Amino acid sequence: MENRRFVTHTLFFLIIVSLFFTRFVFAYSPDTTHRGLARDTVRLFNHHNQNKITDAERSSMEKGSVDEDVHERPLNHFYDPVYNRGIIGGVTSKRWAQETPLQSGLSEQGAVISAVTPYFGSRSDYSWERAIYEYVHGDRERAFETLGHIIHLIQDASVPDHTRNDAHPPLFHFGSPYEEWTNQFDVSNIFVSGDLIADEVPVPILGNLGAYFDSIATYSNSNFFSKDTISNEVYSVPNLSRVVVKQDPVTRETFAYFTNSGGTDRILYKIETEKVDGEFRVLDVVITDKNNQILSGYWNLLSREAVLHGAGVLNLFFEEVERERESLALLKKNENTINKVLASVTDPFKKIFSKLLPSGESSENQESNNGEGSSEQSSQGGTTQKEEQKLTTQQVSPESADFQASTPEPTKPTKPTGPTLQELQAQLNQASALVAFIEAFFAEQDAEREAECIKNSIRGPWDKVGWIGDKPGCDDPTPRIQKMFWLPIQGVGGSGIITVDAPVGPPPGVPPGQEF
């Protein structure tokens, strides 16, 4: 079985590299099953909430649930909760859903490019925070489309192949029987929410998005098998020591039944045997049978959890929306770094120039006050401005006491209120030092990234065959292909052979998953 898994994984990555497509890592069918589950998730959410998701908003969600399976995105749709890993060549779906830089490409760009790019500015970003940001500050249609991408990832976490690290390219006999069988379900025949509402099953309420991924992935990993993981060598659950072997009286097939805590039996897998010299010998263990009893049993339970957890994620989304409206944390986060840097450099100069320039506001106020005084004097004295000027010229002479009493004493020139030359020079030095610090910081970040690229470059085969255009570092034209293909075959640097099989048994300190 382990050799078969090795061959399966190897073929999986060969296909990815040779064809440059990732359609081989779909979980549920995007155009049928994912769309149908997304619609049913909204149906369950609307039943439990007064603020309904509209048909237009639901349509945007369905679009996002389909579009998540394009280009290289499916490589990030795996999450093994026991070993906290994704499939080789991608990150866990739990990280993919929550980390905006991973989806936007900011984590792979240079520091300078990242500095001038808004945090939520990428067209390829359909992360959790982007959905919240768009709903509160941007485009609500895109917010619900992004939610569809998130719901897609939650649905994938209900598929045992995606939570038990089991690659499943749909070629020859390497495909996933469960995913192939569930392709028959779509918007016309998925109505899981009806049973959930009738049975009054509560929607799970968890504190954050990561908790929803942990919950549904653990359920899938601990209670079901994928095609090539029917053993306890890698995962301790489902515990095979608790199964009971029975023969179906109609089909004469031999099944392994698992009894849950409530005393209900369900089929985990089928045992294929042959009779040799009067004794039965086990040939294989599979999750397929003549009447699809195993797969239908899997779907009935896993689809319920996909819809329940999806509705819980929608509840959490609207809670996070209200928090953002109060804190504006994501709005502040979206301001790109370069704007913050420019503000820190220019603000000191704005303060300097504001002190040097005359105050236009005080001059206007003075003129306004003079005008008001003249009008008031004119209305009280009953004389016009020309008459007042004439009286002043004729009656008041420089020798008169009235002239001497009304003439103000000359004022002394005031000392300039602006900064001194030394203060200007000091502030300029501070601004220059800040700019130098920023440039040094960006240079250091780029140097670290380049060193990491060189360290992770996979050189083995290319050194011998002279791959055209190949070079180490971040400018390597084929880094993703090397990582997806040569890493599991050759190992870093081309030294030694490593396999893609998981370690035997759970790691120390990791408790076994909860059994259904």
Side-chain angles (χ1 to χ4, degrees):
M1 180 176 294
E2 293 303 318
N3 289 335
R4 184 173 67 184
R5 290 192 66 208
F6 175 77
V7 172
T8 302
H9 282 237
T10 303
L11 179 62
F12 172 67
F13 289 107
L14 278 169
I15 293 172
I16 292 178
V17 175
S18 61
L19 299 181
F20 298 93
F21 290 106
T22 53
R23 61 181 181 273
F24 306 117
V25 290
F26 290 170
Y28 296 118
S29 172
D31 291 324
T32 57
T33 316
H34 274 298
R35 186 187 294 274
L37 287 172
R39 179 172 298 188
D40 209 31
T41 297
V42 173
R43 189 181 293 120
L44 181 63
F45 173 84
N46 283 347
H47 173 79
H48 290 288
N49 293 271
Q50 293 182 349
N51 296 326
K52 313 295 184 183
I53 293 176
T54 66
D55 289 343
E57 293 167 342
R58 187 208 67 213
S59 179
S60 296
M61 277 187 58
E62 292 179 15
K63 179 180 184 301
S65 71
V66 173
D67 291 345
E68 178 59 26
D69 265 339
V70 300
H71 306 308
E72 297 179 352
R73 302 182 73 89
L75 283 175
N76 306 302
H77 292 184
F78 291 75
Y79 174 43
D80 176 353
V82 176
Y83 298 98
N84 190 27
R85 63 184 176 181
I87 203 72
I88 294 178
V91 300
T92 66
S93 58
K94 179 181 175 180
R95 282 189 60 197
W96 180 247
Q98 297 183 90
E99 297 187 18
T100 297
L102 281 176
Q103 295 206 29
S104 63
L106 291 177
S107 60
E108 299 178 359
Q109 296 175 357
V112 175
I113 297 178
S114 300
V116 299
T117 305
Y119 193 76
F120 298 116
S122 173
R123 296 176 61 184
S124 64
D125 174 25
Y126 293 94
S127 60
W128 177 246
E129 287 189 340
R130 181 66 178 271
I132 300 169
Y133 172 84
E134 292 293 349
Y135 188 90
V136 179
H137 307 294
D139 182 354
R140 287 200 175 186
E141 181 179 349
R142 196 186 197 284
F144 280 99
E145 184 178 344
T146 304
L147 264 181
H149 283 256
I150 302 296
I151 294 300
H152 177 117
L153 298 174
I154 290 291
Q155 294 168 3
D156 276 0
S158 72
V159 178
D161 304 73
H162 282 245
T163 60
R164 297 176 70 88
N165 200 40
D166 192 359
H168 44 269
L171 292 178
F172 309 110
H173 63 283
F174 295 109
S176 166
Y178 176 73
E179 294 174 10
E180 292 173 2
W181 186 79
T182 58
N183 286 344
Q184 63 185 291
F185 298 106
D186 54 27
V187 294
S188 66
N189 54 14
I190 295 180
F191 198 72
V192 179
S193 60
D195 294 334
L196 295 173
I197 294 171
D199 296 340
E200 298 183 349
V201 180
V203 174
I205 304 299
L206 303 176
N208 54 69
L209 183 62
Y212 281 99
F213 275 96
D214 290 338
S215 175
I216 191 169
T218 300
Y219 176 82
S220 170
N221 174 283
S222 302
N223 297 291
F224 305 88
F225 289 116
S226 62
K227 177 182 177 181
D228 293 329
T229 63
I230 308 177
S231 74
N232 286 146
E233 296 177 351
V234 178
Y235 303 101
S236 60
V237 286
N239 191 342
L240 295 181
S241 64
R242 294 181 54 186
V243 302
V244 177
V245 177
K246 301 178 183 179
Q247 189 178 63
D248 189 298
V250 178
T251 64
R252 312 299 296 176
E253 295 171 294
T254 304
F255 295 110
Y257 289 82
F258 184 86
T259 304
N260 63 17
S261 57
T264 304
D265 291 339
R266 62 187 180 90
I267 305 175
L268 272 180
Y269 56 89
K270 185 181 79 171
I271 303 172
E272 294 184 343
T273 62
E274 68 175 355
K275 192 172 184 179
V276 179
D277 298 331
E279 296 182 355
F280 286 97
R281 184 175 63 179
V282 176
L283 294 178
D284 202 356
V285 286
V286 296
I287 58 174
T288 55
D289 61 274
K290 295 178 181 178
N291 296 327
N292 295 316
Q293 297 180 72
I294 301 173
L295 297 178
S296 62
Y298 276 29
W299 164 257
N300 290 338
L301 295 172
L302 291 170
S303 60
R304 286 166 62 97
E305 294 303 317
V307 172
L308 281 169
H309 283 73
V313 168
L314 294 181
N315 282 328
L316 178 66
F317 171 76
F318 287 104
E319 292 175 2
E320 293 292 337
V321 162
E322 293 305 317
R323 294 191 185 99
E324 172 60 19
R325 283 173 173 164
E326 295 178 1
S327 66
L328 303 180
L330 297 182
L331 182 64
K332 299 171 185 176
K333 197 173 187 178
N334 189 51
E335 185 178 1
N336 61 55
T337 306
I338 198 66
N339 285 343
K340 298 177 183 178
V341 171
L342 290 175
S344 64
V345 173
T346 58
D347 283 351
F349 288 99
K350 291 180 180 178
K351 294 179 180 179
I352 293 172
F353 290 122
S354 66
K355 294 179 181 180
L356 292 177
L357 294 175
S359 176
E361 182 179 357
S362 60
S363 300
E364 293 175 358
N365 291 339
Q366 184 177 1
E367 292 176 0
S368 175
N369 291 336
N370 291 340
E372 291 175 359
S374 300
S375 300
E376 184 178 355
Q377 183 178 3
S378 176
S379 62
Q380 292 178 357
T383 58
T384 63
Q385 186 175 2
K386 292 182 178 180
E387 292 174 346
E388 186 179 89
Q389 183 178 2
K390 182 177 180 181
L391 288 173
T392 302
T393 305
Q394 294 177 352
Q395 299 176 6
V396 182
S397 63
E399 292 82 7
S400 66
D402 293 338
F403 180 87
Q404 294 176 359
S406 62
T407 303
E409 295 183 1
T411 57
K412 298 180 181 180
T414 58
K415 184 178 180 179
T417 59
T420 64
L421 182 61
Q422 291 80 4
E423 291 173 339
L424 286 173
Q425 185 63 46
Q427 292 177 350
L428 181 61
N429 291 340
Q430 291 178 357
S432 299
L434 178 61
V435 173
F437 171 78
I438 294 170
E439 291 177 347
F441 173 78
F442 285 164
E444 181 180 358
Q445 293 292 312
D446 288 338
E448 291 178 358
R449 177 174 173 270
E450 184 70 16
E452 187 69 17
C453 289
I454 294 176
K455 177 182 176 182
N456 294 332
S457 290
I458 301 165
R459 307 292 299 161
W462 311 142
D463 291 337
K464 298 179 180 179
V465 302
W467 183 261
I468 299 176
D470 180 62
K471 54 185 175 180
C474 300
D475 294 330
D476 193 333
T478 53
R480 183 174 294 276
I481 296 175
Q482 293 178 16
K483 290 178 182 178
M484 290 194 297
F485 175 55
W486 288 108
L487 179 60
I489 306 302
Q490 288 290 122
V492 177
S495 59
I497 301 295
I498 63 174
T499 69
V500 296
D501 287 306
V504 177
V510 176
Q514 297 179 353
E515 296 183 349
F516 172 72

